[in-house]
Amino acid sequence: MIDGIKRTGCRIDRDEDSNIAPAEPNPSPQCGSTDRIVLVNASETVNVPAVNGGTRTGFSLLSGATEHNKSWFIWLLLVPVLLLAWTQLHWVTALGPGVHEDSYRYMETAWAFLHGYGFLSDDKPMTHFGPAYPVVLAAAYLVDGNLVHAARWLHIWLYSINIVLIGVASYVISERSVLALVVAPLAVMLSGELLVVYSTAATESPFIAFALATFVLLSMHIKAPRWSLLVSAAVCLGVAMALRYVGVTLLPTAVACLWLMDRRPPAHRLRECFFLSVVSSLPLAAWIVRNLIVAGMPTDRPLAFHPVGLDHLKVLVSNLCSFYLPIDVSPWLKLAVLISIAAVVSVQVYRQQSGIAAKTLQSLIVVFCAIYVSFLFVSMSFFDAFTEFEYRILAPVGVFSIVLTISVCLKIATTADQTWVRWLSGAFVLSVLVANAPEQWRVVTDLHRNGYYYSARQWRESETLAFVRSIPQSVTVYSNDPWAIGYLVGRRARMIPRKISPMALTPAQDFAQSIRAMCDDVAGNGAIVAFLKQNTWYLPTAEELQTACGFAVTRRLADGLVFASK
């Protein structure tokens, strides 16, 4: 038996455990001089000698030395793409990685973990996020010795790994298209919004990397089952789930495709689905148990009904379409164009009958994107109204859908029967690249010159933060943005009381008591309030603070106010 194919008389049978389909048998009742067998999803063509005479010609395998050298050359094409990705993120993070509120909390938790305090944020057990990213940050700190620099270098390498994995996934989906291997990573690199996400110290970059690795390994396992591939996929899936709670959407995706796409007997599939589910769930399960022990709840998101509205849907459609076409036209027009392209592509994919690995990876991506968006709807409607359909949240769907669409379109552009389909597919890929290029250049230039969020120059030049930096450490500081003070000034500040719970959209139950305690601290103990000029809808305004506490404005600065007792 060779590669899952065995010869029985003049007929070619398929081995039951193989995913390689034989060519149609010779319709002639007599065997010809040579039966030509094409191995589907492989590059080999085997000439099997006849049994009723003829010269034995042996095997003609393109996977010999020539094919080996060709494979090395193909993968070497990723090297310049990898170097370009590394240089790109190194350039845009010249002022440091993007750091927002969640980034600061990750860093704070990593610092506490490094110093033996466990997973703490704001001196309380951290349950809002998964544990994996603070651990990764802590490990990077051990190499660099500076948490911010460590985060920068970590994300430079994570971005490079992401680009390589995108190339590998595109190569599998397109069934060995060298053009897809190169163009799909470039399409992701040309997205300005995705570049902002990848350059920010948050969980999106490692999550996408581990999710992609899970899907590629699983598709390889389904094509040619090996326990090493399944174990690796389970480990990657477990890390992805420990990075972000929304990572649980990967588990039903993986299990469903493993059960439906694998062609082996049900007993094999049941055993492997059980193994994948148990092993991958262990890290997140352990984290949930820990949260229940230390905080009495699995996470700090309260259960309340706040349904997703029409405005949310408009943002969802607009942002998803902008990953492909970031141009100033109606998002509904862009959606209509993308749906039309998707319809043509889907028909062509169905007609071409992709190989098992390509079909599995395509199915994994489609199912994951559907479950991921559905999970966001449920989460936003019942657990976390503070979540929005912003680019950062939609980044996994953006990356996966771009990989799938570009790879399939490039395959169709070179293999479709109809000329108009080939031209349409090629034109769509070109339009995505051309539409993203100007926006990408603007984003790259802005990030390099000005930085992003708390790493931006405007924050580094803030007059309010400079004043906070100048006061003694013994003075208690309240602020509507304590994360900016913690990250840029290096001192702890307390959040002014919330009047609305941002996750439940309900009035804060202890607002009156909390605001009174803050007022008394300012009046009796000399604390101050550094109020930055920014709108945070769930916090009281400067006027409301003055009315509630009778504060005096001791400093009027370019970007904020300082309140103290009269």
Side-chain angles (χ1 to χ4, degrees), residues 347-348 351 412-413 415-424:
V347 171
Q348 295 299 315
R351 287 179 176 177
I412 292 173
T415 60
D417 295 331
Q418 297 95 335
T419 302
W420 71 270
V421 174
R422 295 198 299 270
W423 277 99
L424 178 64

Side-chain angles (χ1 to χ4, degrees), residues 268-286:
H268 287 81
R269 289 178 284 161
L270 183 62
R271 181 173 63 249
E272 293 190 352
C273 288
F274 177 78
F275 174 84
L276 181 68
S277 301
V278 172
V279 172
S280 62
S281 300
L282 287 177
L284 184 59

Side-chain angles (χ1 to χ4, degrees), residues 152 195 209 318 393:
R152 181 196 181 197
L195 183 62
S318 177
I393 299 298

Side-chain angles (χ1 to χ4, degrees), residues 265-326:
H268 287 81
R269 289 178 284 161
L270 183 62
R271 181 173 63 249
E272 293 190 352
C273 288
F274 177 78
F275 174 84
L276 181 68
S277 301
V278 172
V279 172
S280 62
S281 300
L282 287 177
L284 184 59
W287 178 250
I288 296 298
V289 171
R290 172 262 182 192
N291 291 349
L292 290 170
I293 294 173
V294 302
M297 61 183 71
T299 180
D300 62 351
R301 293 168 171 84
L303 177 63
F305 184 59
H306 26 74
V308 173
L310 182 60
D311 290 339
H312 290 95
L313 294 178
K314 291 179 180 178
V315 173
L316 172 64
V317 172
S318 177
N319 289 350
L320 284 178
C321 293
S322 293
F323 283 127
Y324 292 90
L325 302 170

Side-chain angles (χ1 to χ4, degrees), residues 495-510:
M495 170 71 79
I496 63 176
R498 296 180 176 90
K499 61 180 181 180
I500 298 174
S501 170
M503 289 186 287
L505 298 183
T506 56
Q509 296 180 352
D510 59 347

Side-chain angles (χ1 to χ4, degrees), residues 241-284:
M241 292 168 63
L243 280 164
R244 300 181 66 193
Y245 290 132
V246 74
V248 297
T249 57
L250 294 167
L251 183 57
T253 303
V255 171
C257 288
L258 180 59
W259 177 262
L260 295 174
M261 302 300 293
D262 200 328
R263 299 179 181 178
R264 289 177 297 164
H268 287 81
R269 289 178 284 161
L270 183 62
R271 181 173 63 249
E272 293 190 352
C273 288
F274 177 78
F275 174 84
L276 181 68
S277 301
V278 172
V279 172
S280 62
S281 300
L282 287 177
L284 184 59

